[in-house]
């Protein structure tokens, strides 16, 4: 049965691992959004589009767990360099990974914009740069907001594999706790609740944003 | 003054939409472009501000060639306002911001000035009561009146209207045409692609009849409706009335 003492003793230690999850998700999401937007715009270009599509293809075609291992252990050998700080590796991998997915989402968002919107701005003499920044991107984001929130929730949960390269997130702390108590039940319950609450907050935030952007 | 010379527009290798169009639109006049659907009316008007790039030929605004890579197209477009069939209001901006946006971005006006101008224009088109609404809350006629105000905000020399009432019911058509009528003969050059024959008759100085991608004739409304010069135009008039 559940040993309440274990919960009381360990919950603070485990939940402290959320700090890594939150920081990593936030920075990776920002990197991912930028990469996603840039690749969405560039993936249709002739020359550079080949590379962009290749990048998307690679990152969608392999598991993120593998990507993390590969970047941490194989890339230094391939290029004869020192291993990067695991936190930096994790941000790069999750940023690139979610960028690949976000690029497809953003592309759908951009394609969903009536072309009259762009024409109207052009006819007013607005530069292409301002059209992209003020008309296309805001409308694309609004179009795909539910899918974006979905991607962020997935990203938050996927970061749970970073313990594999030694970051002290909740799953890593779980192994410490079990080594000490020989009881996996309590730490797992704590971790489950913590992830659930975190993602509830995320999806609530998403709903609020959606409401705000529905322009009523 | 807008001059069109030997203008051709093809879509793909087989579809020739404009064939050797030549015309000069004089300053301050109102032109109605009429003709059957598929005759090239919208394509012609969209070539004037290069929303469609002409395949060959030239468009000049006050002797500056518009379809020339060296020309600063955005400067030209500032002088040519455009009103679309589907309004194309920026859906993520409210009515006031729709009008202020280009004033601030393109004309580099400060926000207070832009707002003042927007409110004055909205008053002019009878939309003062909806300044904070978003486009999807407006009726078609209201959207089009806001779109007209947005185009006018740039103080254009020319107003291009591409079937401004084709998506509207008769009542809304009347309210939009009233706004356009008030604009004619204010010094603004107006070029209106329309199927509204009464509007063409009452408001236009000249009627341009297009068919099969060619400008068939240009007449005053009196001439056009009483005795058009060409057989094709006479046929069109008799079908319309």
């Amino acid at each position: 049965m559940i040993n309440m003492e274990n919960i009381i003793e360990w919950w603070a230690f485990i939940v402290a691992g959320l700090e890594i999850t939150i920081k990593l998700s936030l920075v990776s999401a920002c990197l991912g959004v930028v990469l996603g937007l840039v690749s969405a715009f560039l993936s249709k270009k002739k020359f550079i589009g080949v590379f962009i599509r290749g990048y998307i293809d690679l990152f969608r075609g392999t598991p993120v767990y593998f990507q993390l291992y590969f970047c941490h252990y194989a890339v230094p050998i391939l290029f004869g360099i020192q291993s990067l700080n695991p936190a930096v590796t994790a941000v790069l991998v999750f940023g690139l990974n979610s960028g690949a997915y976000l690029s497809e989402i953003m592309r759908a968002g951009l394609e969903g914009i009536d072309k009259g919107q762009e024409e109207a701005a052009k006819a007013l003499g607005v530069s292409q740069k301002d059209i992209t920044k003020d008309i296309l991107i805001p409308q694309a984001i609004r179009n795909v907001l539910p899918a974006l929130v979905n991607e962020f929730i997935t990203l938050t949960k996927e970061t749970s594999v970073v313990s594999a390269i030694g970051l002290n997130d909740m799953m890593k702390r779980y192994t410490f706790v079990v080594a000490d108590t020989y009881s996996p039940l309590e730490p797992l319950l704590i971790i489950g609740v913590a992830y659930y609450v975190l993602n509830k907050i995320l999806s609530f935030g998403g709903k609020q944003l959606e409401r705000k952007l529905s322009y009523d | 003054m807008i001059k069109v010379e030997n203008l051709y527009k093809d879509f793909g290798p087989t579809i020739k939409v404009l064939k050797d169009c030549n015309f000069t639109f004089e300053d301050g006049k109102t032109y109605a472009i009429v003709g059957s659907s598929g005759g090239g009316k919208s394509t012609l008007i969209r070539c004037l501000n290069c929303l469609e790039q002409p395949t060959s030929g030239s468009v000049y605004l006050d002797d500056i060639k518009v379809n020339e890579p060296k020309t600063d197209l955005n400067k030209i477009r500032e002088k040519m306002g455009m009103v679309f069939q589907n309004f194309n209001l920026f859906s993520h901006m409210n009515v006031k911001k729709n009008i202020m946006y280009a004033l601030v971005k393109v004309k580099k006006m400060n926000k207070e000035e832009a707002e003042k101008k927007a409110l004055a224009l909205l008053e002019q088109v009878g939309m003062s009561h909806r300044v904070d609404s978003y486009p999807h809350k407006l009726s078609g006629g209201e959207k089009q009146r806001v779109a007209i105000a947005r185009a006018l905000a740039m103080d254009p020399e020319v107003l291009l209207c591409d079937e401004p009432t084709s998506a509207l019911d008769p009542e809304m058509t009347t309210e939009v045409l009233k706004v356009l009528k008030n604009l004619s003969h204010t010094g603004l050059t107006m070029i209106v692609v329309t199927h509204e024959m009464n509007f063409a008759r009452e408001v236009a100085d000249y009627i341009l009849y297009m068919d099969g991608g060619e400008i068939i004739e240009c007449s005053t409304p009196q001439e056009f409706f009483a005795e058009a010069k060409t057989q094709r135009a006479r046929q069109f008039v008799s079908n319309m009335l």
Side-chain angles (χ1 to χ4, degrees):
Chain A
M1 276 315 292
I2 302 175
N3 182 341
M4 283 311 285
E5 265 173 39
N6 276 350
I7 292 194
I8 292 164
E9 191 179 346
W10 292 107
W11 78 267
F13 171 74
I14 292 175
V15 171
L18 266 183
E19 187 188 337
I20 290 209
T21 305
I22 292 171
K23 279 185 183 163
L24 181 59
S25 308
L26 262 176
V27 181
S28 309
C30 294
L31 181 62
V33 167
V34 174
L35 280 172
L37 271 172
V38 172
S39 355
F41 278 105
L42 296 183
S43 66
K44 273 178 280 175
K45 297 260 189 274
K46 249 193 198 134
F47 181 69
I48 192 151
V50 176
F51 294 96
I52 299 283
R53 288 195 299 273
Y55 145 64
I56 295 172
D57 200 43
L58 275 179
F59 274 85
R60 293 204 310 171
T62 53
V64 71
Y65 200 24
F66 160 81
Q67 290 160 14
L68 204 58
Y69 260 59
F70 194 84
C71 286
H72 194 60
Y73 297 113
V75 168
I77 301 171
L78 268 179
F79 295 98
I81 51 169
Q82 289 280 308
S83 263
L84 289 171
N85 176 326
V88 176
T89 308
V91 164
L92 282 176
V93 167
F94 285 107
L96 283 163
N97 185 278
S98 71
Y101 286 95
L102 286 171
S103 129
E104 291 296 289
I105 296 175
M106 291 296 183
R107 196 171 55 82
L110 287 168
E111 281 169 5
I113 300 171
D114 187 289
K115 80 179 191 338
Q117 296 283 315
E118 188 171 352
E119 284 189 348
K122 275 187 183 169
L124 287 164
V126 181
S127 67
Q128 194 60 46
K129 185 184 112 237
D130 285 336
I131 292 176
T132 304
K133 180 165 68 73
D134 301 328
I135 310 288
L136 298 182
I137 291 180
Q139 293 200 18
I141 287 179
R142 184 196 54 181
N143 285 352
V144 297
L145 200 59
L148 274 183
V149 173
N150 215 10
E151 175 56 31
F152 292 146
I153 289 176
T154 306
L155 172 65
T156 313
K157 289 185 294 189
E158 275 186 338
T159 59
S160 63
V161 300
V162 286
S163 57
I165 57 169
L167 287 174
N168 280 325
D169 80 327
M170 292 196 292
M171 291 312 285
K172 184 79 181 179
R173 283 158 194 255
Y174 160 82
T175 59
F176 297 145
V177 175
V178 176
D180 194 87
T181 63
Y182 304 108
S183 171
L185 176 62
E186 295 83 12
L188 282 178
L189 283 175
I190 296 168
I191 290 169
V193 171
Y195 270 122
Y196 184 79
V197 171
L198 177 64
N199 284 315
K200 259 296 183 248
I201 295 171
L202 249 180
S203 63
F204 176 77
K207 280 272 180 311
Q208 292 301 309
L209 196 60
E210 236 176 280
R211 192 168 306 158
K212 188 161 175 273
L213 294 185
S214 70
Y215 310 121
D216 278 325
Chain B
M1 187 184 75
I2 299 181
K3 201 157 85 185
V4 173
E5 271 179 5
N6 309 111
L7 194 69
Y8 286 82
K9 174 69 187 175
D10 306 340
F11 288 108
T14 52
I15 307 163
K16 303 192 181 310
V17 183
L18 295 180
K19 295 170 202 156
D20 198 16
C21 291
N22 290 281
F23 197 74
T24 302
F25 296 93
E26 303 288 344
D27 287 338
K29 301 287 187 199
T30 300
Y31 295 84
I33 306 182
V34 303
S36 316
S37 295
K41 308 184 296 293
S42 288
T43 307
L44 175 66
I45 203 172
R46 286 165 61 83
C47 279
L48 298 183
N49 65 353
C50 276
L51 279 186
E52 299 291 352
Q53 191 66 34
T55 305
S56 66
S58 321
V59 177
Y60 295 92
L61 174 72
D62 302 329
D63 298 321
I64 302 167
K65 189 168 173 185
V66 177
N67 58 329
E68 170 80 38
K70 274 185 301 184
T71 308
D72 183 354
L73 194 54
N74 289 332
K75 278 268 164 279
I76 297 275
R77 284 170 170 164
E78 250 186 271
K79 296 182 195 167
M80 290 203 227
M82 188 159 201
V83 174
F84 300 85
Q85 179 175 353
N86 295 319
F87 331 120
N88 296 345
L89 292 179
F90 303 131
S91 60
H92 61 307
M93 299 182 192
N94 68 21
V95 164
K96 191 169 68 184
K97 293 226 174 83
N98 257 280
I99 298 174
M100 289 168 60
Y101 175 64
L103 287 175
V104 174
K105 272 289 151 168
V106 181
K107 291 255 192 236
K108 312 287 178 210
M109 212 179 247
N110 69 44
K111 281 213 168 118
E112 294 74 43
E113 255 182 282
E115 182 169 3
K116 225 169 102 187
K117 180 150 196 183
L119 294 176
L121 280 160
L122 286 168
E123 168 123 43
Q124 190 188 334
V125 298
M127 286 298 297
S128 297
H129 57 301
R130 301 305 298 267
V131 289
D132 293 319
S133 302
Y134 280 91
H136 73 281
K137 295 275 180 183
L138 305 181
S139 74
E142 289 177 325
K143 282 185 207 171
Q144 197 59 299
R145 284 186 282 154
V146 174
I148 293 170
R150 179 175 68 176
L152 292 178
M154 306 301 282
D155 292 319
E157 293 170 20
V158 185
L159 187 64
L160 310 171
C161 302
D162 186 7
E163 306 205 23
T165 61
S166 295
L168 302 176
D169 67 29
E171 203 177 332
M172 293 177 191
T173 298
T174 312
E175 68 185 49
V176 168
L177 290 182
K178 211 170 90 192
V179 171
L180 289 179
K181 190 174 174 180
N182 289 337
L183 286 174
S184 65
H185 308 113
T186 56
L188 183 68
T189 310
M190 284 173 58
I191 304 174
V192 186
V193 172
T194 186
H195 294 288
E196 293 294 326
M197 289 303 137
N198 285 329
F199 175 77
R201 190 203 301 267
E202 287 169 29
V203 180
D205 295 298
Y206 296 102
I207 294 182
L208 227 66
Y209 172 66
M210 287 187 74
D211 190 30
E214 295 170 277
I215 299 173
I216 306 291
E217 76 166 79
C218 171
S219 317
T220 63
Q222 292 78 4
E223 282 175 331
F224 187 77
F225 288 105
E227 41 180 340
K229 292 171 208 145
T230 55
Q231 173 60 34
R232 276 149 99 179
R234 281 197 293 274
Q235 184 67 44
F236 174 75
V237 170
S238 72
N239 288 345
M240 290 303 289
L241 301 178

